[in-house]
Amino acid sequence: MAVSMRDLDSTFQGAGQKAGLEIWRIENLRPVPVPKSSHGKFFTGDSYVILKTTALKNGALRHDIHYWLGKDTSQDEAGTAAIKTVELDAALGGRAVQYREVQGHETEKFLSYFKPCIIPQEGGVASGFKHVEAEEHKTRLFVCKGKHVVPFARSSLNHDDIFVLETKSKIFQFNGYNSSIQERAKALEVVQYIKDTYHHGKCDVAAVEDGKLMADAETGEFWGFFGGFAPLPKKTSSDEDKTVDSHSTKLLCVENGKAEPVEADSLTRQLLDTNKCYLLDCGMEVFVWMGRNTSLDERKTASGAAEELVSSDNRPKSHIIRVIEGFETVMFRSKFDSWPQTAEVTVSEDGRGKVAALLKRQGVNVKGLLKADPVKEEPQPHIDCTGNLQVWRVNGQEKILLPASDQSKLYSGDCYIFQYAYPGEEKEEYLIGTWFGKQSVEEDRVSAVSLASKMVESLKFQAAQGRIYEGNEPILFYLIFQSVIVFKGGLGDGYKKYVAEKEVPDETYQEDGVALFRIQGSGPDNMQAIQVDAVASSLNSSYCYILHSGSTVFTWTGNLTTSDTQELVERQLDLIKPNVQSKPQKEGSESEQFWDLLGGKSEYSSQKIGRDAESDPHLFSCTFANGNLKVTEIYNFTQDDLMTEDIFILDCHSEIFVWVGQQVDSKNKLHALTIGEKFLERDFLLEKLSREAPIYIVMEGSEPPFFTRFFSWDSAKSSMHGNSFQRKLTLVKNGGMPVAEKPKRRTPASYGGRSSVPDKSQRSRSMSFSPDRVRVRGRSPAFNALAATFENPNARNLSTPPPVVRKLYPKSVTPDSAKLASKSEAIAALTASFEKKAPPRETMIPRSIKVSPEVTKPKPETNNKENSMSSRIESLTIQEDVKEGEAEDEEGLSIYPYERLKTTSTDPVTEIDVTKRETYLSSAEFREKFGMTKEAFYKLPKWKQNKNKMAIQLF
């Protein structure tokens, strides 16, 4: 399309250069900018042009243009808005999608810009700008239909809809009996908007349930505005409620101002000519397709033809959407039986450049019109990487725990389960995932998912769950494992059975054989060695490699690698072939022996292996029934869009999240992974989603930081109780402040490697110094407060409560107990010592733990007199704990052998506390199994205790 400055309205110069909203109102048939303070205020007698500019992750700017027509706007103003929209698109380079918005029938995308709703005001530019808000408060009644808020009369009250009655001092929400919880919750957002906008946040709010009679005070007050209660009639259909009948899709070509049908057996891309404009009539949507080579006048004519088509058929609810060749929407492309996957239109940037050049000559800053350079970001885990990792290899229906030294060595023919425990907000949080090797068998994959699901269930569904395929690992996976080596072949029975049945070679890695590894990663906390075919074609100039044959080891450095990558080779050598001298080889100067091991020279690539980049996220609400998945996209989403009764999918292209609300039906909860797999299969956005993209299942109330980073997250909201309506009613009545069961989640921080030390603001509860965080059994709150204040921080780990104390003064502490002072004297002395000034606490930061824990060495005693009393308390506590462990029969506990206490026992003990199996061991067997006394064991942090118990099958 040729661009001329006389074709472009000067008002649009410089528009769309930065992210945000820009609005123009049509005044005297010219667009006039609307100040930001008035964004969201629309008058029924006016027409508007709205530009939404979005900055994408790749640095580009995306434009969506809407023209909004009030119900009382003039025909001339409506026509001007439609034409000016085409001109604005031309000024932006001719790539924007354009939408026609009619009052009361706006698109979801348009309404998402003005959440929770828009309430058009009477009047307009032609009637002298009648401002309703300047008048005294009137009693107004609105009906909430989806995201539409429409003024209604008393006679329209019914059992199906939700109504909002606004009075001078109170706002009532009337919930029709047949309305859903989600609809009621969304309507409360409208109530909040009216309260804040028209009442400055100072008015009462009341919810009135359909069916409650005058016995309820607020219900009686509500009906009093209508002259008393009266039975409601059944909802009658009106023109507003009529939907467009089932409509067969028709393609029409616009020529000489007329739309003529295009005869074809099926809709294909080949029917569209780049020199013409077309209408695609789908009933509820009428698309205007404009070829790249059409003129501005031809595009205006096609838009007019679409307006005429909709008005002649009396279809006020139909949306008109205009798209440019090469920038068609997903919805438009989905209407065709076949739409080829084509490359980007090469002339797009050229067209935008021409427009930018024209505007630049007029003195306009055109920086925003041109594509910006994408922002380069370092890999971020969005999770604390100082946690504890455990890995199991799946073998049939069982899982085998790997020792710490082998947990980063994975085989392509096997499946694995990993559990990562990391410091959370007020508790330890978990990520449980499955990793499927490329050569693994289906039986092992099914078993891995089943076993992982049981682990999640054992944690009361409070763990996030991940499904990961080899070759599609997210950065989160690599940063948790830190170092990963993927070998060919497998160790499990499933792989061996596959090799035997298919009679294929067993490729399982042999230390003394020939093997080639590609080295990749970004640093010591994120490095991988991937075994590839030991042939020259596997080489790539962008990577470094390790090649070995028995004790002969070569390292090969591609010409396009960096010094950082070369450093990783040395680190991986220590893992794959330690204590062996390697022979360095540079690309282009390799030895004959090197090529001989690879079977001779051959061509190879120099292009770095691409990975799916994380794109701008999309949120979908999901309905899953009878194996069918239906989704609805939620535009400009926020945390408030997540309803506790529903399941949502957050699509980030490179990975997806399935969010499951607390009040979702238990059957649907079990289908969460299936829903994610169906979503990848359907590829609703036609974005070439990989079916092997990572899937995370996230439960409401246990959202991990790598999920919440996509929102402005308030964990207090996700921890609230009740259904969506009850929660939002609480928020509205409390001025928007949630009443939570736990403190807010800290702002997500960028965590470094496992060896890094988080600052004070990033510490989890395990690093908290709060003395009253746990009520210890047997102690009074007063004793807890006093003892915790004066305890010696060197005496035990502050991340766990002290050992259980049942008596302050244990029996037989010394042989000469008769010489002890009386209890009253001892208490008096103890109380007097509490009045001493507390010694300053030392900052204690736990070490970064990755491998199996070691026995903590006792710290040297100090001679600090101020700590003597707290040391005395600690010694008494420990002695009592030991006494109880050795004479458990005094407390009514029995001692059982380890073989009956372990979780895999064939003759398990019944009627015991299964969360504390270790307490039923004798002192001797406890020391034998844990390598430490009970005293030392209970000084460990809780997560470390659990790790030790899990290692010997007591957890």
PDB file of all heavy atoms in Angstrom, residues 814-825:
ATOM      1  N   THR A 814      21.317 -35.974  88.580  1.00  0.00           N
ATOM      2  CA  THR A 814      22.603 -36.319  89.180  1.00  0.00           C
ATOM      3  C   THR A 814      22.353 -37.390  90.233  1.00  0.00           C
ATOM      4  O   THR A 814      21.239 -37.506  90.777  1.00  0.00           O
ATOM      5  CB  THR A 814      23.249 -35.086  89.852  1.00  0.00           C
ATOM      6  OG1 THR A 814      22.411 -34.650  90.909  1.00  0.00           O
ATOM      7  CG2 THR A 814      23.419 -33.951  88.856  1.00  0.00           C
ATOM      8  N   PRO A 815      23.376 -38.147  90.552  1.00  0.00           N
ATOM      9  CA  PRO A 815      23.182 -39.182  91.586  1.00  0.00           C
ATOM     10  C   PRO A 815      22.792 -38.582  92.916  1.00  0.00           C
ATOM     11  O   PRO A 815      22.077 -39.197  93.709  1.00  0.00           O
ATOM     12  CB  PRO A 815      24.552 -39.869  91.648  1.00  0.00           C
ATOM     13  CG  PRO A 815      25.194 -39.568  90.329  1.00  0.00           C
ATOM     14  CD  PRO A 815      24.693 -38.210  89.960  1.00  0.00           C
ATOM     15  N   ASP A 816      23.270 -37.414  93.201  1.00  0.00           N
ATOM     16  CA  ASP A 816      23.037 -36.795  94.496  1.00  0.00           C
ATOM     17  C   ASP A 816      21.846 -35.860  94.413  1.00  0.00           C
ATOM     18  O   ASP A 816      21.927 -34.691  94.723  1.00  0.00           O
ATOM     19  CB  ASP A 816      24.290 -36.046  94.943  1.00  0.00           C
ATOM     20  CG  ASP A 816      24.234 -35.702  96.429  1.00  0.00           C
ATOM     21  OD1 ASP A 816      23.355 -36.221  97.129  1.00  0.00           O
ATOM     22  OD2 ASP A 816      25.097 -34.900  96.845  1.00  0.00           O
ATOM     23  N   SER A 817      20.702 -36.370  93.991  1.00  0.00           N
ATOM     24  CA  SER A 817      19.554 -35.500  93.776  1.00  0.00           C
ATOM     25  C   SER A 817      18.988 -34.959  95.072  1.00  0.00           C
ATOM     26  O   SER A 817      18.294 -33.947  95.087  1.00  0.00           O
ATOM     27  CB  SER A 817      18.458 -36.272  93.025  1.00  0.00           C
ATOM     28  OG  SER A 817      18.099 -37.426  93.760  1.00  0.00           O
ATOM     29  N   ALA A 818      19.305 -35.615  96.185  1.00  0.00           N
ATOM     30  CA  ALA A 818      18.774 -35.139  97.465  1.00  0.00           C
ATOM     31  C   ALA A 818      19.331 -33.786  97.833  1.00  0.00           C
ATOM     32  O   ALA A 818      18.741 -33.057  98.633  1.00  0.00           O
ATOM     33  CB  ALA A 818      19.095 -36.149  98.574  1.00  0.00           C
ATOM     34  N   LYS A 819      20.511 -33.452  97.241  1.00  0.00           N
ATOM     35  CA  LYS A 819      21.121 -32.178  97.584  1.00  0.00           C
ATOM     36  C   LYS A 819      20.579 -31.025  96.747  1.00  0.00           C
ATOM     37  O   LYS A 819      20.987 -29.887  96.925  1.00  0.00           O
ATOM     38  CB  LYS A 819      22.642 -32.270  97.379  1.00  0.00           C
ATOM     39  CG  LYS A 819      23.304 -33.258  98.320  1.00  0.00           C
ATOM     40  CD  LYS A 819      24.812 -33.282  98.091  1.00  0.00           C
ATOM     41  CE  LYS A 819      25.475 -34.278  99.037  1.00  0.00           C
ATOM     42  NZ  LYS A 819      26.940 -34.328  98.837  1.00  0.00           N
ATOM     43  N   LEU A 820      19.691 -31.354  95.774  1.00  0.00           N
ATOM     44  CA  LEU A 820      19.152 -30.278  94.932  1.00  0.00           C
ATOM     45  C   LEU A 820      18.274 -29.360  95.753  1.00  0.00           C
ATOM     46  O   LEU A 820      17.604 -29.781  96.704  1.00  0.00           O
ATOM     47  CB  LEU A 820      18.336 -30.860  93.780  1.00  0.00           C
ATOM     48  CG  LEU A 820      19.132 -31.574  92.663  1.00  0.00           C
ATOM     49  CD1 LEU A 820      18.159 -32.188  91.671  1.00  0.00           C
ATOM     50  CD2 LEU A 820      20.038 -30.581  91.961  1.00  0.00           C
ATOM     51  N   ALA A 821      18.261 -28.110  95.392  1.00  0.00           N
ATOM     52  CA  ALA A 821      17.362 -27.165  96.050  1.00  0.00           C
ATOM     53  C   ALA A 821      15.929 -27.528  95.745  1.00  0.00           C
ATOM     54  O   ALA A 821      15.631 -28.236  94.808  1.00  0.00           O
ATOM     55  CB  ALA A 821      17.675 -25.743  95.573  1.00  0.00           C
ATOM     56  N   SER A 822      15.031 -27.019  96.565  1.00  0.00           N
ATOM     57  CA  SER A 822      13.626 -27.283  96.313  1.00  0.00           C
ATOM     58  C   SER A 822      13.195 -26.659  94.997  1.00  0.00           C
ATOM     59  O   SER A 822      13.857 -25.774  94.472  1.00  0.00           O
ATOM     60  CB  SER A 822      12.786 -26.701  97.456  1.00  0.00           C
ATOM     61  OG  SER A 822      12.883 -25.284  97.420  1.00  0.00           O
ATOM     62  N   LYS A 823      12.079 -27.161  94.469  1.00  0.00           N
ATOM     63  CA  LYS A 823      11.607 -26.672  93.168  1.00  0.00           C
ATOM     64  C   LYS A 823      11.325 -25.183  93.210  1.00  0.00           C
ATOM     65  O   LYS A 823      11.638 -24.442  92.266  1.00  0.00           O
ATOM     66  CB  LYS A 823      10.345 -27.426  92.754  1.00  0.00           C
ATOM     67  CG  LYS A 823       9.818 -27.008  91.386  1.00  0.00           C
ATOM     68  CD  LYS A 823       8.575 -27.775  90.989  1.00  0.00           C
ATOM     69  CE  LYS A 823       8.880 -29.228  90.767  1.00  0.00           C
ATOM     70  NZ  LYS A 823       7.715 -29.948  90.211  1.00  0.00           N
ATOM     71  N   SER A 824      10.752 -24.686  94.331  1.00  0.00           N
ATOM     72  CA  SER A 824      10.426 -23.257  94.404  1.00  0.00           C
ATOM     73  C   SER A 824      11.680 -22.411  94.378  1.00  0.00           C
ATOM     74  O   SER A 824      11.734 -21.349  93.747  1.00  0.00           O
ATOM     75  CB  SER A 824       9.605 -22.961  95.665  1.00  0.00           C
ATOM     76  OG  SER A 824      10.356 -23.357  96.812  1.00  0.00           O
ATOM     77  N   GLU A 825      12.732 -22.899  95.057  1.00  0.00           N
ATOM     78  CA  GLU A 825      13.984 -22.152  95.056  1.00  0.00           C
ATOM     79  C   GLU A 825      14.616 -22.148  93.669  1.00  0.00           C
ATOM     80  O   GLU A 825      15.172 -21.140  93.228  1.00  0.00           O
ATOM     81  CB  GLU A 825      14.944 -22.764  96.086  1.00  0.00           C
ATOM     82  CG  GLU A 825      14.495 -22.601  97.532  1.00  0.00           C
ATOM     83  CD  GLU A 825      15.383 -23.381  98.494  1.00  0.00           C
ATOM     84  OE1 GLU A 825      16.124 -24.277  98.022  1.00  0.00           O
ATOM     85  OE2 GLU A 825      15.353 -23.083  99.696  1.00  0.00           O
TER      86      GLU A 825
END
